[in-house]
Amino acid sequence: MLDWIDYLNINDNYIGNETNKNCIKFIFLWIRYNNYYNKKYTKEINKKYKEERIRAKALNCDKVQRKYSEFKEEFLNSFKSLSNQDTLKEYITNLKTKEIILFNEHNSDLDDFLDTVYQIRCNLFHGDKLARDYDAKIVSWAYECLNKLLNDTIF
């Protein structure tokens, strides 16, 4: 099984491949968000969000909510266009707990979106995203959407 470093090193098109670049950008975007989050919230609130596993939901404020409503359909459509072996998916799975995080037309509010991006982050950072094209596309989608949402709202 390849790890992410090997995946990037052996991919001849890495320099010109936007999907692979976005995987790296997602990691740095999440670090940037963590820095913002830790400066904005007290240790007590940080602990509460971490314990409740809803840390990403700290983004759910009016400014971000308004921006999300502008991009909601675009985010949904681009997520649905991701395919895995010709099967459209509307969810991300926590591979450790088997919990399914839905993101579709019935589960598409800001919290649903943030839960989805947060689960992608958890899967990537904790080793549940494998170094393969489909997972790279999911991480790239998370970067593109989260970056679009956060620009001009909290950064």
Side-chain angles (χ1 to χ4, degrees):
M1 178 183 334
L2 290 176
D3 70 17
W4 282 97
I5 300 296
D6 291 336
Y7 178 78
L8 296 176
N9 285 336
I10 65 170
N11 188 336
D12 292 336
N13 298 319
Y14 173 67
I15 297 300
N17 184 324
E18 201 61 31
T19 298
N20 291 342
K21 287 180 186 177
N22 286 347
C23 291
I24 301 300
K25 290 177 183 178
F26 179 75
I27 293 167
F28 286 104
L29 179 64
W30 199 269
I31 292 169
R32 185 179 183 196
Y33 166 65
N34 267 353
N35 187 31
Y36 156 82
Y37 181 92
N38 287 325
K39 286 180 181 176
K40 181 173 173 90
Y41 297 100
T42 65
K43 287 183 180 180
E44 294 78 29
I45 293 175
N46 278 336
K47 185 178 178 188
K48 177 180 183 282
Y49 276 118
K50 189 173 184 178
E51 286 172 359
E52 294 177 11
R53 205 172 168 267
I54 56 172
R55 188 172 184 162
K57 292 182 183 180
L59 285 174
N60 198 347
C61 62
D62 289 341
K63 193 173 184 181
V64 175
Q65 183 70 51
R66 283 191 301 274
K67 190 150 187 186
Y68 177 73
S69 65
E70 291 176 35
F71 294 113
K72 177 179 169 179
E73 291 304 316
E74 177 186 333
F75 293 173
L76 272 171
N77 290 334
S78 60
F79 187 74
K80 286 195 321 189
S81 73
L82 297 172
S83 63
N84 185 9
Q85 301 172 356
D86 301 321
T87 303
L88 292 178
K89 293 178 75 172
E90 298 178 334
Y91 61 89
I92 295 295
T93 304
N94 179 324
L95 297 180
K96 287 185 173 87
T97 67
K98 304 299 184 209
E99 176 187 7
I100 292 176
I101 310 298
L102 292 171
F103 186 61
N104 56 34
E105 49 277 336
H106 304 293
N107 300 280
S108 62
D109 65 15
L110 180 58
D111 282 348
D112 295 321
F113 169 75
L114 293 173
D115 284 344
T116 301
V117 171
Y118 186 71
Q119 188 60 58
I120 291 167
R121 172 253 177 239
C122 290
N123 289 354
L124 176 66
F125 282 32
H126 300 291
D128 291 332
K129 286 277 171 238
L130 304 176
R132 58 183 180 205
D133 289 343
Y134 177 68
D135 283 340
K137 288 177 185 176
I138 291 172
V139 174
S140 179
W141 171 87
Y143 165 74
E144 290 173 358
C145 295
L146 189 61
N147 189 50
K148 190 176 277 192
L149 183 66
L150 298 183
N151 276 335
D152 302 322
T153 54
I154 67 166
F155 298 144

